[in-house]
């Protein structure tokens, strides 16, 4: 039985066994909230796409709406469901969160169900643009985690020691859905998915470190067939290189500082893919901002370096026509996994017009050493490797 | 002339003192343990949803309230917009809930009186009933 079904069954049992309270109590127990963002973007280059934007004004790449329902059964137990409707093609709309929260004490929180994976600082709040200063999160960093949700259990413990707030979090579960690359979508199952992170906050500083891993099983029918052919010929090393199944590990560290006047935020991560078709990725960003309420001005710089293993072709050319075809096919498949290296620099302004409405304007200069077309930046042909994205947006929470 | 100057100086000093009192924020709780004292960082943690070793529940004033603005500036050390964005992140990731909001200072005192563990911030000039305990003062 899938965890979502288990959760639904558990919930229906729980609801069925809970006596109905007075209407006023029900109103307090059931709460609705939401968020929406309307983002306008234009890329100044007709030979490229960046975050889905091209050389025309577009409103339908990052605009979205999120609706959340919280039902409180008791002080310890509550249920949350969150639906996200995306306008962009690279994200599917639907239930992003569906979980029960058990809070036995103020220090402990346990969540069971479908949740966002807390890879990085903003991984679980990517869609809530109101929660961060930038209009678009630093893409060189946040375009690296291919799967964003899991079905399973998450436990969080917070400990306060003198002036320090220490937080420890761990989760375990599975991911069984599609991953969305700029070049297409792939059916993926990630099992043995777990991770833990810890953060420490004191005097305006927040430090965080995280480790996550999972066994990814990518459905690439063409690659799987060719792996069989290579094994039949005895080229096991080459077959292993193209085997799409393997462990993926994520490491992250972060340091942030903020006070009334300014902030500095930074994150650095490494992703290690053990199988050939999954790359290794090194990425980071650093951002600084100045507050002059109700305005915040910020700058940000980020880099991403995506690199695959490129083993020498062990299949000899010139022995037979049949082997030549196998060798050439192997080379062409490997060529389908190009490296990617980009840098993004942005400057922007956030204006908090009301306590729950913010307007943002942002200009991002993106520069590429290598473009694979698998990430946010796409070469449409004759791209000169640099472009500027202009964006305006409004963020609203309700 | 010297008299006039002295009176003027005394008046100015009085103004400064009363203005300081008005700008001072106190944190008050309905708690049986009258010995609890918090430092600024602990108060910040409490009002940002952190778990303190005491059984205290924070209550807040609305965003446009002047006492809240002073509390944000002098105690939390963050702008209102940053606090709102923090709570948006906490709410939509199921991590923490923002403090209950109470309309004005008078109602905060009433709420504290009727809810054990409730903790709120007030301007220093407000009369505090004996049953309540001052845990922190920003002066």
């Amino acid at each position: 039985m899938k965890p979502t079904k288990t959760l639904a069954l558990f919930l229906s049992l729980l609801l069925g066994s809970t006596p109905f309270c007075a209407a006023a109590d029900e109103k307090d127990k059931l709460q609705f909230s939401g968020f929406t963002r309307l983002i306008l973007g234009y890329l100044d280059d007709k030979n490229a796409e960046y975050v889905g934007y091209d050389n025309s004004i577009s409103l339908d790449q990052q605009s979205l709406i999120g609706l959340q329902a919280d039902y409180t059964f008791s002080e310890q137990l509550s249920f949350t469901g969150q639906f996200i409707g995306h306008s962009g093609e690279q994200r599917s709309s639907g239930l992003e969160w569906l979980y029960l929260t058990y809070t036995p004490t103020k220090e402990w929180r346990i969540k069971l169900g479908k949740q966002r994976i807390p890879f990085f600082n903003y991984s679980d709040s990517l869609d809530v643009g109101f929660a961060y200063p930038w209009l678009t999160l630093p893409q060189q960093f946040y375009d690296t985690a291919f799967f964003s949700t899991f079905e399973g259990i998450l436990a969080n413990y917070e400990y306060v020691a003198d002036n320090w707030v220490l937080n420890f979090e761990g989760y375990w579960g599975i991911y069984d859905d599609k991953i969305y690359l700029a070049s297409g979508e792939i059916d993926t199952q990630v099992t043995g998915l777990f991770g833990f992170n810890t953060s420490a906050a004191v005097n305006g500083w927040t430090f965080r470190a995280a480790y996550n891993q999972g066994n990814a099983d990518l459905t690439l029918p063409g690659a799987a067939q060719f792996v069989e052919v290579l094994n039949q010929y005895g080229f096991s090393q080459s077959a292993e290189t193209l085997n799409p199944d393997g462990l993926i590990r994520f490491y992250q560290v972060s340091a942030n500082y903020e006070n009334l006047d300014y902030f500095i935020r930074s994150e650095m991560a490494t992703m290690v893919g053990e199988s050939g078709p999954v790359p290794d990725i090194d990425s980071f960003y650093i951002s600084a901002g100045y507050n002059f309420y109700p305005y915040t001005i910020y700058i940000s710089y980020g880099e991403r370096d995506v690199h695959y293993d490129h083993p020498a072709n062990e299949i000899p050319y010139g022995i037979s026509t049949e082997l030549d075809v196998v060798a050439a096919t192997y080379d062409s498949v490997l060529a389908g996994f190009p490296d990617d290296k980009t840098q993004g620099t942005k400057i922007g302004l956030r204006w908090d017009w009301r306590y729950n409405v913010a307007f943002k304007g942002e200009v991002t200069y993106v520069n590429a050493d290598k473009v694979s077309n698998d990430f946010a930046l796409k070469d449409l042909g004759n791209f000169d490797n640099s472009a500027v994205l202009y964006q305006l947006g409004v963020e609203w929470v309700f | 002339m010297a008299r006039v100057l002295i009176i003027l100086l005394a008046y100015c000093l009085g103004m400064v003192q009363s203005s300081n009192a008005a700008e001072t924020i106190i944190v008050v709780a309905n708690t049986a343990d009258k010995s609890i004292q918090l430092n600024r960082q602990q108060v910040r943690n409490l009002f940002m949803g952190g778990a303190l070793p005491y059984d205290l529940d924070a209550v807040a004033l609305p965003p446009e309230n002047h006492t809240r603005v002073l509390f944000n500036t002098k105690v939390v050390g963050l702008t209102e917009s940053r606090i709102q964005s923090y709570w948006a992140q906490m709410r939509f990731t199921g991590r923490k809930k923002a403090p209950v909001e109470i309309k004005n200072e008078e109602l905060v005192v009433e709420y504290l009186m009727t809810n054990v563990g409730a903790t709120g911030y007030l301007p220093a000039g407000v009369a505090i009933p004996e049953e309540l305990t001052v845990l922190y003062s920003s002066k």
Side-chain angles (χ1 to χ4, degrees), chain B residues 57-68:
Chain B
D57 296 308
V59 297
L61 288 160
E64 63 277 10
N65 181 285
H66 179 64
T67 306
R68 174 165 170 145

Side-chain angles (χ1 to χ4, degrees), chain A residues 97 99 101 103 109 111 118 120-125 154 156 158 167 169 199 208, chain B residues 49 86-87 89-97:
Chain A
W97 298 85
Y99 61 90
T101 305
T103 316
R109 191 177 66 252
K111 296 200 288 190
F120 309 135
N121 290 359
Y122 295 98
S123 297
D124 55 1
S125 49
L154 179 145
N156 186 293
E158 187 168 282
N167 197 288
E169 190 168 76
S199 66
R208 184 183 193 266
Chain B
Y86 170 82
W87 285 119
Q89 184 177 17
M90 294 300 115
R91 190 198 323 169
F92 294 116
T93 57
R95 288 191 225 167
K96 289 173 183 172
K97 284 182 181 166

Side-chain angles (χ1 to χ4, degrees), chain A residues 256-315:
Chain A
N256 295 335
Y257 177 76
E258 63 183 340
N259 65 20
L260 204 56
D261 300 319
Y262 63 91
F263 68 81
I264 298 170
R265 298 183 190 189
S266 63
E267 284 187 78
M268 193 161 73
T270 294
M271 182 185 113
V272 180
E274 287 195 348
S275 69
V278 178
D280 294 345
I281 303 176
D282 298 312
S283 57
F284 77 89
Y285 73 85
I286 183 160
S287 186
Y290 177 69
N291 303 316
F292 48 114
Y293 186 75
Y295 305 99
T296 301
I297 189 163
Y298 59 85
I299 53 169
S300 173
Y301 177 78
E303 267 190 30
R304 181 182 52 235
D305 185 359
V306 180
H307 40 280
Y308 290 88
D309 292 333
H310 296 288
N313 189 348
E314 63 173 341
I315 311 163

Side-chain angles (χ1 to χ4, degrees), chain A residues 84-370:
Chain A
I84 306 281
H86 289 279
S87 60
E89 289 173 1
Q90 288 184 36
R91 293 285 303 277
S92 62
S93 298
L95 275 171
E96 288 282 300
W97 298 85
L98 190 70
Y99 61 90
L100 277 170
T101 305
Y102 176 55
T103 316
T105 66
K106 282 188 174 178
E107 293 82 10
W108 279 98
R109 191 177 66 252
I110 296 159
K111 296 200 288 190
L112 175 72
K114 184 174 182 181
Q115 305 163 60
R116 280 286 180 84
I117 303 174
F119 283 125
F120 309 135
N121 290 359
Y122 295 98
S123 297
D124 55 1
S125 49
L126 294 174
D127 297 324
V128 192
F130 190 84
Y132 43 80
W134 314 281
L135 198 156
T136 298
L137 282 161
Q139 279 297 299
Q140 282 62 38
F141 192 84
Y142 276 93
D143 192 26
T144 52
F146 305 113
F147 38 94
S148 59
T149 60
F150 74 101
E151 293 179 2
I153 187 164
L154 179 145
N156 186 293
Y157 176 73
E158 187 168 282
Y159 177 71
V160 177
D162 294 328
N163 294 338
W164 291 79
V165 179
L166 305 171
N167 197 288
F168 306 92
E169 190 168 76
Y171 71 92
W172 176 87
I174 63 161
Y175 174 86
D176 190 359
D177 206 337
K178 293 177 179 355
I179 58 171
Y180 297 88
L181 297 173
S183 53
E185 55 189 49
I186 303 169
D187 284 326
T188 304
Q189 191 179 60
V190 184
T191 53
L193 177 63
F194 72 87
F196 45 86
N197 64 73
T198 181
S199 66
V202 66
N203 296 330
W205 285 95
T206 308
F207 304 96
R208 184 183 193 266
Y211 174 78
N212 302 271
Q213 75 163 53
N215 278 300
D217 181 356
L218 280 63
T219 305
L220 300 169
Q225 280 176 358
F226 189 54
V227 164
E228 269 183 43
V229 172
L230 290 170
N231 274 323
Q232 282 167 10
Y233 278 100
F235 298 118
S236 55
Q237 189 189 321
S238 301
E240 193 51 42
T241 301
L242 296 185
N243 183 358
D245 306 336
L247 194 67
I248 303 179
R249 287 172 284 155
F250 295 86
Y251 304 86
Q252 180 251 19
V253 288
S254 160
N256 295 335
Y257 177 76
E258 63 183 340
N259 65 20
L260 204 56
D261 300 319
Y262 63 91
F263 68 81
I264 298 170
R265 298 183 190 189
S266 63
E267 284 187 78
M268 193 161 73
T270 294
M271 182 185 113
V272 180
E274 287 195 348
S275 69
V278 178
D280 294 345
I281 303 176
D282 298 312
S283 57
F284 77 89
Y285 73 85
I286 183 160
S287 186
Y290 177 69
N291 303 316
F292 48 114
Y293 186 75
Y295 305 99
T296 301
I297 189 163
Y298 59 85
I299 53 169
S300 173
Y301 177 78
E303 267 190 30
R304 181 182 52 235
D305 185 359
V306 180
H307 40 280
Y308 290 88
D309 292 333
H310 296 288
N313 189 348
E314 63 173 341
I315 311 163
Y317 279 99
I319 305 289
S320 69
T321 314
E322 212 173 320
L323 270 186
D324 284 352
V325 170
V326 174
T329 307
Y330 179 79
D331 280 336
S332 75
V333 171
L334 275 192
F337 301 112
D339 292 350
D340 185 289
K341 191 172 182 182
T342 61
Q343 300 88 39
T345 308
K346 63 175 72 191
I347 183 164
L349 180 76
R350 171 178 172 143
W351 170 32
D352 284 87
W353 178 57
R354 294 285 183 270
Y355 72 91
N356 62 340
V357 180
F359 293 94
K360 295 176 181 175
E362 189 175 278
V363 179
T364 305
Y365 171 72
V366 61
N367 183 57
D369 296 329
K370 302 167 191 168

